[in-house]
Amino acid sequence: MKLSLIIAWLFSFPLNGHAQNVKNMKTSQTPETEIRNVIENYYFKGIYEGNTDLLKKAFYEGALLFGDVDGVPYCKTAEQYIEGVGNRVSPEKSGKGFKAEILSIDVINSIATAKLNVRMYDFNYYNFITFNKIDGRWSIVSKTLTNVHP
């Protein structure tokens, strides 16, 4: 008798709980995963290879870059920066070391920031990258940087 009551009680609950939510879950990537993809496959790879086409996919057309390199102020448009990367000997071809890592990513709605460390040539850059999701894709809208000596 007790078992019958317990079974009847369990069947009285609606079946639209967790199982229903799992069925309706989206399989799309999280914003952080999408941003990691932009950083690793377009930004880092573009810098390493000197591949301006990859960098153009990472940056919003009107993006700006600011900072300092060894105390010297740095200010460029994304177009100027990408052109400069294309005109230099890439870290890949230089034979010098290249290490790039994502230190953090923070996302709130359609904006995000990423803190990066890029070691190349004789530089130890810290980059603070701002992203905005524009027309369905994450793009770099600003970059600040500085070179830190060990």
Side-chain angles (χ1 to χ4, degrees), residues 64-121:
L64 297 174
L65 294 78
F66 297 96
D68 69 84
V69 179
D70 296 332
V72 177
Y74 182 97
C75 177
K76 292 187 178 184
T77 64
E79 183 179 344
Q80 291 168 325
Y81 169 73
I82 293 168
E83 183 180 317
V85 169
N87 290 328
R88 71 177 184 211
V89 176
S90 70
E92 178 182 42
K93 291 180 181 165
S94 75
K96 293 192 174 198
F98 180 85
K99 182 181 178 191
E101 63 181 319
I102 300 169
L103 303 176
S104 66
I105 297 175
D106 293 307
V107 181
I108 301 175
N109 296 326
S110 67
I111 61 167
T113 59
K115 181 179 178 183
L116 315 174
N117 181 229
V118 179
R119 293 174 181 251
M120 60 183 199
Y121 307 114

Side-chain angles (χ1 to χ4, degrees), residues 6-22:
I6 292 171
I7 291 172
W9 179 74
L10 287 173
F11 279 116
S12 70
F13 290 103
L15 296 176
N16 62 354
H18 179 69
Q20 184 72 20
N21 292 338
V22 170

Side-chain angles (χ1 to χ4, degrees), residues 1-2 7 32 41 43 62 86 106 109-111 128 131:
M1 178 73 174
K2 283 185 181 180
I7 291 172
E32 184 175 325
N41 295 313
Y43 182 67
D106 293 307
N109 296 326
S110 67
I111 61 167
F128 295 90
F131 287 86

Side-chain angles (χ1 to χ4, degrees), residues 32-48 54 58 98 100-102 105 116 131:
E32 184 175 325
T33 302
E34 292 174 359
I35 291 165
R36 280 185 178 281
N37 180 56
V38 172
I39 294 168
E40 293 171 351
N41 295 313
Y42 300 123
Y43 182 67
F44 286 163
K45 192 172 180 181
I47 293 169
Y48 177 67
L54 290 177
F98 180 85
E101 63 181 319
I102 300 169
I105 297 175
L116 315 174
F131 287 86

